[in-house]
Amino acid sequence: MRTSPAGIVCVWPFINLLYRSNGLSDAQIGVLAALKPWTSAPSSFLWSGLADRLSAHKAIMLATFITSTLTRAGVSLAHSFWAFVVLAVAGEVLAAPVGVMADAAVVAACKRVS
């Protein structure tokens, strides 16, 4: 599976089929699906707070974007439930702040222009 910013939108809705093809049960697939909101919500606040504290928004946004893309690409190499759990949690923790920080960057740029 190849992931890119635009490609993830096309591939990620079918991630459950990958889980199923690797022999995961319905309950395990449900756990993996439930991890997204439980990890992405708190991590977006934590990453954003860290970026504010360090004044390193661009660096943190770039680092989390690249590492989340690599982590999500690694899902295609996993074959066990616990490997999928680690990659799902890591992918969400790393991907969550990208949208929040991109929105903050746009708002900050608009304030400078006006």
Side-chain angles (χ1 to χ4, degrees):
M1 172 177 22
R2 184 172 177 212
T3 59
S4 69
I8 197 79
V9 175
C10 298
V11 173
W12 214 248
F14 302 101
I15 195 69
N16 292 341
L17 297 175
L18 176 70
Y19 295 154
R20 170 67 67 201
S21 70
N22 279 287
L24 271 61
S25 69
D26 290 342
Q28 290 172 322
I29 293 171
V31 168
L32 289 168
L35 287 173
K36 181 177 179 170
W38 288 101
T39 56
S40 63
S43 64
S44 63
F45 292 120
L46 293 173
W47 279 112
S48 300
L50 180 65
D52 288 342
R53 180 68 105 109
L54 301 176
S55 296
H57 295 86
K58 186 186 256 185
I60 289 177
M61 185 173 75
L62 185 61
T64 56
F65 175 74
I66 291 169
T67 54
S68 70
T69 301
L70 293 173
T71 303
R72 287 180 171 177
V75 168
S76 63
L77 303 174
H79 297 291
S80 71
F81 173 69
W82 290 108
F84 284 122
V85 167
V86 169
L87 290 170
V89 169
E92 290 306 318
V93 165
L94 294 167
V98 175
V100 174
M101 286 195 232
D103 289 343
V106 169
V107 169
C110 290
K111 288 181 182 178
R112 285 192 300 259
V113 171
S114 51

